[in-house]
Amino acid sequence: MTAGVAQPGETPAAELMIVLDLEERGPDVYVGQTPSTPLQRIFGGQVAAQALTAANATVGPGRVVHSLHSYFLRPGDPHEEIRYEVDRIREGRSFSTRRVVARQTRKGEDVAIFALTADFTAGERAVVEHSLPMPEVPGPDGLPGLAEVTAAHPDQGAASAAIGRAVEQRYLADPFDPQPRLPPDTAFRVWFRVAGRLPDDDHVHAAALTFVSDLTLLSAGLARNGGGWGGSIVGASLDHAVWFHRPVRADEWFLYETDSPAAASGRALCFGQIWAADGTHVATVAQEGLIRSLG
């Protein structure tokens, strides 16, 4: 199975396609690799995107993902391959459901690091249709990007630069602003797009959107305190869910708005809304994450 063939160094989009290009090792078993990274663990969005790609490979034509729900079970080792085992748990007239478990070898033992359930739809005639309007914000042109943010915050921005190198980002506010974000304006907004051109395949764009959706979501849990990541504050995703309302091209600008309605006991619940540049509401994201002080 191949999601797209690319050579390293071509374009950021081609590099992302290498991440999504899984090797089929057996019936409903696929293997993914991690690009060279200075990070000590695998970015969660990568594992979620690869797991969705594995599930996509077992679904017939004409069916697209409408939701995924997942749990991060253990940190992923970027130096070890990841094996994705797909269970075809439902094949209905209108919907197909897949369960995917990602596994790695640790000290000779096979362990699960991630579990995902994804549901695919053949499509339905809309009986009701509504959506959230996109906030009135400036477009991406002229806004500071990841390079500017990293230059202003070299220590804090290093991890973001390593994770998001395949994705163009335009910030409407400084993600490391020390001032807390207070009600009623607690939302944080970023324009994203995969840099370059992705294949004209809805499965690929859904997987790419899943990858991007984990980039800034947990940061919403810190925004009300200000300062962002760095120093003694660390975080980790515990679960991740995406509802795909309408098709989207991940290689064209889309607005990602995140916020956190609740945080307690070291965990923050974060929600995200995604709009295409024309204002179409394309996806909703939810995540609970661990936020911990090392001090």
Side-chain angles (χ1 to χ4, degrees), residues 195-216:
R197 203 67 178 169
L198 294 172
D200 294 327
D201 184 331
D202 287 342
H203 291 319
V204 170
H205 287 272
L209 191 74
T210 300
F211 179 95
V212 176
S213 70
D214 193 34
L215 282 174
T216 59

PDB file of all heavy atoms in Angstrom, residues 195-216:
ATOM      1  N   ALA A 195       2.919  22.517   3.269  1.00  0.00           N
ATOM      2  CA  ALA A 195       3.695  23.273   2.279  1.00  0.00           C
ATOM      3  C   ALA A 195       3.970  22.406   1.059  1.00  0.00           C
ATOM      4  O   ALA A 195       4.628  21.374   1.154  1.00  0.00           O
ATOM      5  CB  ALA A 195       5.013  23.742   2.889  1.00  0.00           C
ATOM      6  N   GLY A 196       3.444  22.810  -0.088  1.00  0.00           N
ATOM      7  CA  GLY A 196       3.586  22.014  -1.306  1.00  0.00           C
ATOM      8  C   GLY A 196       2.227  21.476  -1.716  1.00  0.00           C
ATOM      9  O   GLY A 196       1.180  21.928  -1.242  1.00  0.00           O
ATOM     10  N   ARG A 197       2.243  20.477  -2.595  1.00  0.00           N
ATOM     11  CA  ARG A 197       0.987  19.939  -3.122  1.00  0.00           C
ATOM     12  C   ARG A 197       0.845  18.474  -2.759  1.00  0.00           C
ATOM     13  O   ARG A 197       1.760  17.665  -3.000  1.00  0.00           O
ATOM     14  CB  ARG A 197       0.937  20.110  -4.639  1.00  0.00           C
ATOM     15  CG  ARG A 197      -0.468  20.118  -5.217  1.00  0.00           C
ATOM     16  CD  ARG A 197      -1.228  21.341  -4.757  1.00  0.00           C
ATOM     17  NE  ARG A 197      -2.586  21.418  -5.344  1.00  0.00           N
ATOM     18  CZ  ARG A 197      -3.498  22.272  -4.928  1.00  0.00           C
ATOM     19  NH1 ARG A 197      -3.242  23.116  -3.952  1.00  0.00           N
ATOM     20  NH2 ARG A 197      -4.703  22.295  -5.508  1.00  0.00           N
ATOM     21  N   LEU A 198      -0.305  18.126  -2.196  1.00  0.00           N
ATOM     22  CA  LEU A 198      -0.617  16.749  -1.865  1.00  0.00           C
ATOM     23  C   LEU A 198      -1.434  16.115  -2.989  1.00  0.00           C
ATOM     24  O   LEU A 198      -2.058  16.820  -3.785  1.00  0.00           O
ATOM     25  CB  LEU A 198      -1.418  16.686  -0.558  1.00  0.00           C
ATOM     26  CG  LEU A 198      -0.696  17.137   0.714  1.00  0.00           C
ATOM     27  CD1 LEU A 198      -1.678  17.195   1.882  1.00  0.00           C
ATOM     28  CD2 LEU A 198       0.469  16.202   1.043  1.00  0.00           C
ATOM     29  N   PRO A 199      -1.467  14.792  -3.064  1.00  0.00           N
ATOM     30  CA  PRO A 199      -2.286  14.128  -4.091  1.00  0.00           C
ATOM     31  C   PRO A 199      -3.767  14.472  -3.938  1.00  0.00           C
ATOM     32  O   PRO A 199      -4.241  14.817  -2.850  1.00  0.00           O
ATOM     33  CB  PRO A 199      -2.038  12.634  -3.818  1.00  0.00           C
ATOM     34  CG  PRO A 199      -0.748  12.586  -3.078  1.00  0.00           C
ATOM     35  CD  PRO A 199      -0.686  13.830  -2.256  1.00  0.00           C
ATOM     36  N   ASP A 200      -4.500  14.377  -5.023  1.00  0.00           N
ATOM     37  CA  ASP A 200      -5.945  14.627  -5.002  1.00  0.00           C
ATOM     38  C   ASP A 200      -6.664  13.379  -4.493  1.00  0.00           C
ATOM     39  O   ASP A 200      -7.307  12.642  -5.244  1.00  0.00           O
ATOM     40  CB  ASP A 200      -6.443  15.003  -6.401  1.00  0.00           C
ATOM     41  CG  ASP A 200      -5.887  16.330  -6.867  1.00  0.00           C
ATOM     42  OD1 ASP A 200      -5.680  17.221  -6.013  1.00  0.00           O
ATOM     43  OD2 ASP A 200      -5.650  16.480  -8.083  1.00  0.00           O
ATOM     44  N   ASP A 201      -6.526  13.149  -3.205  1.00  0.00           N
ATOM     45  CA  ASP A 201      -7.066  11.947  -2.569  1.00  0.00           C
ATOM     46  C   ASP A 201      -7.621  12.367  -1.208  1.00  0.00           C
ATOM     47  O   ASP A 201      -6.874  12.842  -0.347  1.00  0.00           O
ATOM     48  CB  ASP A 201      -5.965  10.903  -2.412  1.00  0.00           C
ATOM     49  CG  ASP A 201      -6.457   9.584  -1.836  1.00  0.00           C
ATOM     50  OD1 ASP A 201      -7.428   9.593  -1.068  1.00  0.00           O
ATOM     51  OD2 ASP A 201      -5.842   8.538  -2.138  1.00  0.00           O
ATOM     52  N   ASP A 202      -8.944  12.199  -1.006  1.00  0.00           N
ATOM     53  CA  ASP A 202      -9.565  12.610   0.255  1.00  0.00           C
ATOM     54  C   ASP A 202      -8.948  11.905   1.454  1.00  0.00           C
ATOM     55  O   ASP A 202      -8.847  12.482   2.548  1.00  0.00           O
ATOM     56  CB  ASP A 202     -11.072  12.333   0.220  1.00  0.00           C
ATOM     57  CG  ASP A 202     -11.823  13.304  -0.683  1.00  0.00           C
ATOM     58  OD1 ASP A 202     -11.267  14.375  -1.002  1.00  0.00           O
ATOM     59  OD2 ASP A 202     -12.969  12.981  -1.077  1.00  0.00           O
ATOM     60  N   HIS A 203      -8.540  10.638   1.284  1.00  0.00           N
ATOM     61  CA  HIS A 203      -7.910   9.900   2.385  1.00  0.00           C
ATOM     62  C   HIS A 203      -6.615  10.583   2.817  1.00  0.00           C
ATOM     63  O   HIS A 203      -6.330  10.701   4.020  1.00  0.00           O
ATOM     64  CB  HIS A 203      -7.608   8.462   1.960  1.00  0.00           C
ATOM     65  CG  HIS A 203      -8.829   7.615   1.769  1.00  0.00           C
ATOM     66  ND1 HIS A 203      -9.912   7.661   2.610  1.00  0.00           N
ATOM     67  CD2 HIS A 203      -9.131   6.683   0.828  1.00  0.00           C
ATOM     68  CE1 HIS A 203     -10.825   6.800   2.210  1.00  0.00           C
ATOM     69  NE2 HIS A 203     -10.377   6.194   1.126  1.00  0.00           N
ATOM     70  N   VAL A 204      -5.813  11.003   1.856  1.00  0.00           N
ATOM     71  CA  VAL A 204      -4.542  11.657   2.163  1.00  0.00           C
ATOM     72  C   VAL A 204      -4.777  12.967   2.905  1.00  0.00           C
ATOM     73  O   VAL A 204      -4.105  13.273   3.903  1.00  0.00           O
ATOM     74  CB  VAL A 204      -3.730  11.898   0.876  1.00  0.00           C
ATOM     75  CG1 VAL A 204      -2.524  12.796   1.157  1.00  0.00           C
ATOM     76  CG2 VAL A 204      -3.268  10.570   0.287  1.00  0.00           C
ATOM     77  N   HIS A 205      -5.743  13.758   2.446  1.00  0.00           N
ATOM     78  CA  HIS A 205      -5.998  15.054   3.079  1.00  0.00           C
ATOM     79  C   HIS A 205      -6.558  14.885   4.487  1.00  0.00           C
ATOM     80  O   HIS A 205      -6.236  15.671   5.388  1.00  0.00           O
ATOM     81  CB  HIS A 205      -6.919  15.898   2.203  1.00  0.00           C
ATOM     82  CG  HIS A 205      -6.233  16.420   0.981  1.00  0.00           C
ATOM     83  ND1 HIS A 205      -5.545  17.602   0.957  1.00  0.00           N
ATOM     84  CD2 HIS A 205      -6.087  15.887  -0.263  1.00  0.00           C
ATOM     85  CE1 HIS A 205      -5.020  17.801  -0.237  1.00  0.00           C
ATOM     86  NE2 HIS A 205      -5.340  16.763  -1.004  1.00  0.00           N
ATOM     87  N   ALA A 206      -7.367  13.853   4.707  1.00  0.00           N
ATOM     88  CA  ALA A 206      -7.871  13.586   6.058  1.00  0.00           C
ATOM     89  C   ALA A 206      -6.724  13.191   6.985  1.00  0.00           C
ATOM     90  O   ALA A 206      -6.668  13.619   8.146  1.00  0.00           O
ATOM     91  CB  ALA A 206      -8.927  12.487   6.023  1.00  0.00           C
ATOM     92  N   ALA A 207      -5.799  12.372   6.496  1.00  0.00           N
ATOM     93  CA  ALA A 207      -4.652  11.972   7.304  1.00  0.00           C
ATOM     94  C   ALA A 207      -3.749  13.168   7.590  1.00  0.00           C
ATOM     95  O   ALA A 207      -3.246  13.337   8.710  1.00  0.00           O
ATOM     96  CB  ALA A 207      -3.867  10.864   6.607  1.00  0.00           C
ATOM     97  N   ALA A 208      -3.538  14.021   6.582  1.00  0.00           N
ATOM     98  CA  ALA A 208      -2.712  15.216   6.779  1.00  0.00           C
ATOM     99  C   ALA A 208      -3.353  16.160   7.784  1.00  0.00           C
ATOM    100  O   ALA A 208      -2.662  16.746   8.633  1.00  0.00           O
ATOM    101  CB  ALA A 208      -2.475  15.918   5.448  1.00  0.00           C
ATOM    102  N   LEU A 209      -4.680  16.326   7.699  1.00  0.00           N
ATOM    103  CA  LEU A 209      -5.369  17.179   8.658  1.00  0.00           C
ATOM    104  C   LEU A 209      -5.240  16.610  10.070  1.00  0.00           C
ATOM    105  O   LEU A 209      -5.072  17.368  11.041  1.00  0.00           O
ATOM    106  CB  LEU A 209      -6.841  17.317   8.275  1.00  0.00           C
ATOM    107  CG  LEU A 209      -7.618  18.383   9.045  1.00  0.00           C
ATOM    108  CD1 LEU A 209      -7.229  19.777   8.570  1.00  0.00           C
ATOM    109  CD2 LEU A 209      -9.128  18.184   8.899  1.00  0.00           C
ATOM    110  N   THR A 210      -5.306  15.299  10.199  1.00  0.00           N
ATOM    111  CA  THR A 210      -5.125  14.655  11.499  1.00  0.00           C
ATOM    112  C   THR A 210      -3.736  14.954  12.050  1.00  0.00           C
ATOM    113  O   THR A 210      -3.575  15.247  13.245  1.00  0.00           O
ATOM    114  CB  THR A 210      -5.343  13.144  11.374  1.00  0.00           C
ATOM    115  OG1 THR A 210      -6.689  12.897  10.906  1.00  0.00           O
ATOM    116  CG2 THR A 210      -5.137  12.441  12.695  1.00  0.00           C
ATOM    117  N   PHE A 211      -2.726  14.864  11.196  1.00  0.00           N
ATOM    118  CA  PHE A 211      -1.351  15.198  11.594  1.00  0.00           C
ATOM    119  C   PHE A 211      -1.291  16.613  12.155  1.00  0.00           C
ATOM    120  O   PHE A 211      -0.783  16.855  13.254  1.00  0.00           O
ATOM    121  CB  PHE A 211      -0.431  15.058  10.386  1.00  0.00           C
ATOM    122  CG  PHE A 211       1.015  15.399  10.647  1.00  0.00           C
ATOM    123  CD1 PHE A 211       1.926  14.404  10.961  1.00  0.00           C
ATOM    124  CD2 PHE A 211       1.473  16.702  10.563  1.00  0.00           C
ATOM    125  CE1 PHE A 211       3.265  14.709  11.202  1.00  0.00           C
ATOM    126  CE2 PHE A 211       2.799  17.027  10.803  1.00  0.00           C
ATOM    127  CZ  PHE A 211       3.701  16.021  11.125  1.00  0.00           C
ATOM    128  N   VAL A 212      -1.832  17.576  11.414  1.00  0.00           N
ATOM    129  CA  VAL A 212      -1.761  18.983  11.811  1.00  0.00           C
ATOM    130  C   VAL A 212      -2.578  19.250  13.067  1.00  0.00           C
ATOM    131  O   VAL A 212      -2.195  20.072  13.907  1.00  0.00           O
ATOM    132  CB  VAL A 212      -2.237  19.885  10.661  1.00  0.00           C
ATOM    133  CG1 VAL A 212      -2.271  21.347  11.092  1.00  0.00           C
ATOM    134  CG2 VAL A 212      -1.328  19.722   9.442  1.00  0.00           C
ATOM    135  N   SER A 213      -3.686  18.542  13.248  1.00  0.00           N
ATOM    136  CA  SER A 213      -4.610  18.848  14.343  1.00  0.00           C
ATOM    137  C   SER A 213      -4.000  18.661  15.714  1.00  0.00           C
ATOM    138  O   SER A 213      -4.517  19.186  16.715  1.00  0.00           O
ATOM    139  CB  SER A 213      -5.881  17.992  14.215  1.00  0.00           C
ATOM    140  OG  SER A 213      -5.618  16.624  14.483  1.00  0.00           O
ATOM    141  N   ASP A 214      -2.883  17.938  15.807  1.00  0.00           N
ATOM    142  CA  ASP A 214      -2.238  17.716  17.098  1.00  0.00           C
ATOM    143  C   ASP A 214      -1.123  18.726  17.379  1.00  0.00           C
ATOM    144  O   ASP A 214      -0.522  18.704  18.442  1.00  0.00           O
ATOM    145  CB  ASP A 214      -1.661  16.286  17.149  1.00  0.00           C
ATOM    146  CG  ASP A 214      -1.250  15.862  18.550  1.00  0.00           C
ATOM    147  OD1 ASP A 214      -1.912  16.284  19.518  1.00  0.00           O
ATOM    148  OD2 ASP A 214      -0.266  15.118  18.686  1.00  0.00           O
ATOM    149  N   LEU A 215      -0.866  19.631  16.434  1.00  0.00           N
ATOM    150  CA  LEU A 215       0.286  20.527  16.578  1.00  0.00           C
ATOM    151  C   LEU A 215       0.118  21.545  17.706  1.00  0.00           C
ATOM    152  O   LEU A 215       1.050  21.787  18.469  1.00  0.00           O
ATOM    153  CB  LEU A 215       0.553  21.264  15.264  1.00  0.00           C
ATOM    154  CG  LEU A 215       1.258  20.477  14.166  1.00  0.00           C
ATOM    155  CD1 LEU A 215       1.319  21.296  12.879  1.00  0.00           C
ATOM    156  CD2 LEU A 215       2.666  20.078  14.598  1.00  0.00           C
ATOM    157  N   THR A 216      -1.027  22.178  17.813  1.00  0.00           N
ATOM    158  CA  THR A 216      -1.204  23.269  18.770  1.00  0.00           C
ATOM    159  C   THR A 216      -2.334  23.035  19.764  1.00  0.00           C
ATOM    160  O   THR A 216      -2.598  23.903  20.605  1.00  0.00           O
ATOM    161  CB  THR A 216      -1.479  24.592  18.031  1.00  0.00           C
ATOM    162  OG1 THR A 216      -2.669  24.456  17.226  1.00  0.00           O
ATOM    163  CG2 THR A 216      -0.319  24.975  17.133  1.00  0.00           C
TER     164      THR A 216
END
